[in-house]
Amino acid sequence: MWIDRLLEFIPGPLDLLLGSLAAVVMLGSVIPIVVSCHGWGWRIGDTRKLFHFLIFSGAGALRYFGSIAMVAVYGSWVALTVLLSVRRGSRSSLFLALARPEDEDARGFNVLLSTLSTALGGVAAHLLLGKLALVSYLVTGCG
Protein backbone atom coordinates (compact mmCIF):
# COMPACT_ATOMS: atom_id res chain seq x y z
CA MET A 1 0.00 0.00 0.00
CA TRP A 2 2.73 2.53 0.90
CA ILE A 3 4.64 1.56 -2.26
CA ASP A 4 1.61 2.60 -4.32
CA ARG A 5 1.48 5.91 -2.45
CA LEU A 6 5.20 6.43 -3.00
CA LEU A 7 4.76 5.87 -6.75
CA GLU A 8 2.13 8.62 -6.79
CA PHE A 9 4.99 11.15 -6.37
CA ILE A 10 6.22 10.46 -9.91
CA PRO A 11 4.90 13.37 -12.01
CA GLY A 12 3.40 13.11 -15.45
CA PRO A 13 3.55 15.95 -17.99
CA LEU A 14 0.42 17.67 -16.63
CA ASP A 15 1.73 17.39 -13.06
CA LEU A 16 5.01 19.01 -14.15
CA LEU A 17 3.21 21.81 -15.93
CA LEU A 18 0.62 22.61 -13.25
CA GLY A 19 3.00 22.12 -10.30
CA SER A 20 5.55 24.41 -11.93
CA LEU A 21 2.91 27.00 -12.81
CA ALA A 22 1.61 26.97 -9.23
CA ALA A 23 5.16 27.46 -7.93
CA VAL A 24 5.79 30.39 -10.28
CA VAL A 25 2.54 32.06 -9.25
CA MET A 26 3.06 31.48 -5.52
CA LEU A 27 6.75 32.34 -5.40
CA GLY A 28 6.18 35.34 -7.65
CA SER A 29 3.75 36.74 -5.12
CA VAL A 30 5.00 35.34 -1.81
CA ILE A 31 8.64 36.43 -2.08
CA PRO A 32 7.86 40.13 -2.70
CA ILE A 33 5.31 40.11 0.14
CA VAL A 34 7.71 38.51 2.63
CA VAL A 35 10.68 40.66 1.57
CA SER A 36 8.54 43.82 1.79
CA CYS A 37 7.33 42.91 5.26
CA HIS A 38 10.92 42.36 6.33
CA GLY A 39 11.85 45.72 4.84
CA TRP A 40 8.99 47.36 6.76
CA GLY A 41 10.52 46.18 10.02
CA TRP A 42 8.58 43.00 10.70
CA ARG A 43 10.41 40.60 12.99
CA ILE A 44 12.15 37.64 11.29
CA GLY A 45 9.85 35.20 13.10
CA ASP A 46 6.83 36.95 11.63
CA THR A 47 8.18 37.00 8.07
CA ARG A 48 9.12 33.30 8.39
CA LYS A 49 5.61 32.48 9.60
CA LEU A 50 4.05 34.48 6.76
CA PHE A 51 6.23 32.62 4.25
CA HIS A 52 5.25 29.26 5.77
CA PHE A 53 1.56 30.14 5.88
CA LEU A 54 1.43 31.24 2.25
CA ILE A 55 3.58 28.41 0.86
CA PHE A 56 1.78 25.70 2.85
CA SER A 57 -1.62 27.14 1.91
CA GLY A 58 -0.59 26.85 -1.72
CA ALA A 59 0.50 23.24 -1.19
CA GLY A 60 -2.78 22.45 0.58
CA ALA A 61 -4.88 23.98 -2.20
CA LEU A 62 -2.83 22.22 -4.85
CA ARG A 63 -3.24 18.89 -3.04
CA TYR A 64 -6.96 19.40 -2.63
CA PHE A 65 -7.52 20.10 -6.32
CA GLY A 66 -4.61 18.13 -7.78
CA SER A 67 -2.28 15.21 -7.31
CA ILE A 68 0.53 14.62 -4.85
CA ALA A 69 2.87 14.67 -7.86
CA MET A 70 1.84 18.30 -8.51
CA VAL A 71 2.59 19.11 -4.87
CA ALA A 72 5.98 17.40 -5.19
CA VAL A 73 6.84 19.52 -8.25
CA TYR A 74 5.63 22.66 -6.47
CA GLY A 75 7.61 21.75 -3.35
CA SER A 76 10.72 21.05 -5.41
CA TRP A 77 10.59 24.55 -6.91
CA VAL A 78 10.05 26.10 -3.48
CA ALA A 79 12.96 24.08 -2.05
CA LEU A 80 15.20 25.09 -4.96
CA THR A 81 14.31 28.75 -4.41
CA VAL A 82 15.15 28.48 -0.71
CA LEU A 83 18.39 26.64 -1.54
CA LEU A 84 19.43 29.40 -3.95
CA SER A 85 18.62 32.06 -1.34
CA VAL A 86 20.78 30.23 1.21
CA ARG A 87 23.59 30.00 -1.35
CA ARG A 88 23.45 33.77 -1.83
CA GLY A 89 23.35 34.30 1.93
CA SER A 90 23.13 37.88 3.08
CA ARG A 91 22.98 39.04 -0.56
CA SER A 92 19.50 37.46 -0.80
CA SER A 93 16.51 39.41 0.49
CA LEU A 94 14.56 36.18 0.91
CA PHE A 95 17.35 34.67 3.00
CA LEU A 96 17.45 37.75 5.22
CA ALA A 97 13.67 37.53 5.67
CA LEU A 98 13.83 33.84 6.67
CA ALA A 99 17.11 33.31 8.54
CA ARG A 100 17.27 34.09 12.25
CA PRO A 101 20.16 36.49 12.98
CA GLU A 102 20.78 34.86 16.36
CA ASP A 103 21.74 31.62 14.59
CA GLU A 104 24.87 33.44 13.32
CA ASP A 105 27.06 31.03 11.34
CA ALA A 106 24.40 28.28 11.32
CA ARG A 107 21.72 30.46 9.71
CA GLY A 108 21.95 28.81 6.30
CA PHE A 109 22.18 25.34 7.78
CA ASN A 110 19.08 25.92 9.90
CA VAL A 111 17.06 27.17 6.92
CA LEU A 112 18.14 24.14 4.89
CA LEU A 113 17.40 21.77 7.77
CA SER A 114 13.87 23.10 8.14
CA THR A 115 13.36 22.82 4.35
CA LEU A 116 14.55 19.19 4.39
CA SER A 117 12.43 18.29 7.41
CA THR A 118 9.40 19.89 5.74
CA ALA A 119 9.91 17.77 2.62
CA LEU A 120 10.36 14.56 4.63
CA GLY A 121 7.31 15.41 6.73
CA GLY A 122 5.21 15.93 3.61
CA VAL A 123 6.29 12.59 2.17
CA ALA A 124 5.65 10.80 5.47
CA ALA A 125 2.22 12.43 5.84
CA HIS A 126 1.24 11.29 2.36
CA LEU A 127 2.51 7.75 2.94
CA LEU A 128 0.56 7.51 6.19
CA LEU A 129 -2.59 9.48 5.35
CA GLY A 130 -2.93 9.74 1.59
CA LYS A 131 -5.06 12.70 0.50
CA LEU A 132 -5.83 13.54 4.15
CA ALA A 133 -2.20 14.67 4.42
CA LEU A 134 -3.38 18.06 3.15
CA VAL A 135 -4.67 18.67 6.69
CA SER A 136 -1.09 18.36 7.95
CA TYR A 137 0.06 20.95 5.39
CA LEU A 138 -2.48 23.43 6.70
CA VAL A 139 -1.73 22.68 10.36
CA THR A 140 2.01 23.07 9.72
CA GLY A 141 1.55 26.28 7.76
CA CYS A 142 -0.78 27.83 10.34
CA GLY A 143 0.76 26.41 13.52
Side-chain angles (χ1 to χ4, degrees):
M1 178 159 123
W2 65 271
I3 296 279
D4 293 334
R5 285 193 178 159
L6 194 58
L7 293 174
E8 292 173 6
F9 282 96
I10 300 172
L14 187 61
D15 298 320
L16 287 169
L17 176 67
L18 295 178
S20 296
L21 182 61
V24 167
V25 169
M26 284 302 290
L27 291 169
S29 59
V30 168
I31 291 174
I33 291 169
V34 170
V35 168
S36 295
C37 290
H38 177 68
W40 294 330
W42 284 30
R43 297 176 307 168
I44 299 289
D46 295 336
T47 57
R48 284 173 62 95
K49 182 50 69 183
L50 179 62
F51 181 79
H52 287 132
F53 173 75
L54 295 172
I55 291 297
F56 279 90
S57 295
L62 196 58
R63 183 63 185 113
Y64 183 79
F65 293 107
S67 69
I68 191 62
M70 283 182 207
V71 177
V73 171
Y74 169 85
S76 297
W77 282 114
V78 171
L80 179 63
T81 302
V82 171
L83 176 67
L84 291 173
S85 77
V86 169
R87 172 111 168 79
R88 292 192 63 218
S90 61
R91 294 173 297 156
S92 167
S93 298
L94 179 60
F95 178 77
L96 294 174
L98 298 178
R100 293 184 209 98
E102 60 269 15
D103 288 346
E104 296 177 11
D105 292 341
R107 288 171 23 159
F109 175 76
N110 288 342
V111 171
L112 291 177
L113 187 61
S114 65
T115 302
L116 177 62
S117 64
T118 297
L120 293 175
V123 170
H126 177 70
L127 292 177
L128 294 171
L129 303 170
K131 191 145 184 164
L132 284 175
L134 77 93
V135 174
S136 72
Y137 308 156
L138 300 176
V139 168
T140 304
C142 297

